[in-house]
Amino acid sequence: LAPFPTWQTAMYKVPLALGDDWLNQFCDAKIKPCFGLGSDYRFVYLGRQGSGTLLHSDVFGSYSWSANVAGRKHWTFVNPCDVPDLKDVWGNMPSDLDHVDRQQYPNFDRVRLVECIQEAGEVIFVPSQWYHQVRNVVDTLSINHNWCNACNIDIMCNVLTDELHSVQKGLSDCEQQLQEDGGWTEAVETILFSSGNWNMTTFVHFVAFMLQAVQDASRTIAPHVQYFELGCLQRVVRALYSEPFVKQLVKECKVPEDPSVDLAEALDALARDLQDPVPVPNP
């Protein structure tokens, strides 16, 4: 899709219900070089019969959708509620749901698998944190997007924060030395970025970008929608800026300062507007 800068009109149109895509809106903005973002999260998959993807959940808790242009796919989903039964005693999960060792995974038969066949012309929506496995029943061509919006940005924040804590724990033995050398945040961020091309710096800038985008959209979205989206962003801002690591990034001038005060004022102003009666136009 890269050679087509007007891809939405030149190649295909995203269904309206899937179009509120903050993730790719951020990637499309002219800030990619600032964060090392080499591309967006739109993909075209072409696979032979029998090929596919093993068990996984989508990158940092995003949604995804997949549209079959041609061919047929077999999907298997695992409800997040059943993930604990999918793990062995060490917390590992099987890579292939079609070949599971019942001795290693004794609770696997409790897992309620959701399966379906996707035909050409059909679109599958994958909710955040739903593990899934896909197999091409025949040669298949599909278009896939990872995406997010106000409804799952808190999940993305939680996933990235959990990843942050995991990396910090893994580096705990050398944290003191890295702090003394001034390389602690860089080491943590480099490891985070290697797993999904995002890290806390990227995510904080993403949140700041969307805060501005939602406030700038006051003429194009309804006030109650804007209020909802800013409210969702406010919860994420509070969670992010309570993290000591993010506070350190602020001190190092790597991310913007906490926007909570300005955000609260914007929400208060919107709340007052929403309480006012809707003006009746003159006949």
Side-chain angles (χ1 to χ4, degrees):
L1 300 182
F4 297 89
T6 57
W7 60 272
Q8 277 193 308
T9 54
M11 299 292 291
Y12 60 91
K13 291 185 178 180
V14 177
L16 182 62
L18 308 174
D20 186 19
D21 183 349
W22 290 7
L23 181 59
N24 288 298
Q25 181 180 347
F26 175 67
C27 292
D28 287 344
K30 297 179 181 179
I31 51 177
K32 292 181 186 178
C34 300
F35 307 108
L37 298 174
S39 66
D40 52 36
Y41 289 86
R42 308 179 183 100
F43 312 94
V44 173
Y45 292 137
L46 178 62
R48 295 180 61 87
Q49 178 180 353
S51 63
T53 55
L54 296 176
L55 184 66
H56 67 285
S57 64
D58 288 312
V59 60
F60 35 79
S62 61
Y63 297 140
S64 69
W65 60 260
S66 175
N68 264 11
V69 178
R72 185 183 302 118
K73 290 185 179 183
H74 177 268
W75 291 75
T76 306
F77 296 92
V78 178
N79 189 305
C81 297
D82 288 339
V83 167
D85 285 329
L86 200 57
K87 297 179 179 180
D88 63 13
V89 294
W90 297 282
N92 300 315
M93 292 192 294
S95 59
D96 187 349
L97 293 175
D98 294 329
H99 302 89
V100 177
D101 183 344
R102 280 353 190 239
Q103 290 187 333
Q104 183 177 353
Y105 302 97
N107 296 325
F108 178 75
D109 289 330
R110 299 180 186 174
V111 178
R112 295 160 294 180
L113 302 178
V114 180
E115 300 181 70
C116 68
I117 297 293
Q118 181 188 17
E119 303 287 353
E122 295 181 341
V123 177
I124 291 283
F125 167 71
V126 183
S128 294
Q129 296 186 301
W130 277 64
Y131 279 83
H132 53 283
Q133 181 170 310
V134 189
R135 178 173 53 84
N136 294 320
V137 180
V138 297
D139 297 350
T140 302
L141 174 67
S142 65
I143 298 169
N144 300 67
H145 285 205
N146 289 103
W147 60 299
C148 74
N149 54 35
C151 295
N152 69 331
I153 191 172
D154 57 331
I155 295 176
M156 288 183 63
C157 182
N158 292 339
V159 170
L160 281 165
T161 302
D162 287 346
E163 285 291 318
L164 168 67
H165 295 163
S166 177
V167 171
Q168 289 176 310
K169 183 178 179 181
L171 292 176
S172 58
D173 290 345
C174 52
E175 178 179 357
Q176 183 176 350
Q177 184 63 51
L178 286 168
Q179 291 279 19
E180 292 173 358
D181 295 341
W184 170 246
T185 57
E186 182 179 357
V188 172
E189 291 288 74
T190 298
I191 295 173
L192 271 176
F193 193 85
S194 67
S195 65
N197 289 337
W198 276 42
N199 52 27
M200 296 308 291
T201 299
T202 315
F203 188 68
V204 173
H205 277 278
F206 165 65
V207 171
F209 173 84
M210 289 313 308
L211 275 171
Q212 189 63 53
V214 172
Q215 292 183 77
D216 290 346
S218 58
R219 295 184 178 180
T220 58
I221 62 176
H224 65 278
V225 174
Q226 188 181 30
Y227 185 81
F228 169 77
E229 292 183 344
L230 287 177
C232 293
L233 285 164
Q234 184 183 50
R235 290 195 298 273
V236 169
V237 164
R238 287 172 175 167
L240 278 178
Y241 284 89
S242 68
E243 282 291 328
F245 186 82
V246 172
K247 293 178 181 178
Q248 190 168 349
L249 291 176
V250 172
K251 288 182 180 179
E252 296 175 5
C253 299
K254 293 180 178 178
V255 299
E257 294 190 5
D258 187 348
S260 293
V261 174
D262 291 341
L263 180 53
E265 291 176 355
L267 280 164
D268 287 343
L270 268 173
R272 288 193 297 270
D273 291 342
L274 287 170
Q275 290 174 357
D276 291 339
V278 177
V280 179
N282 293 324

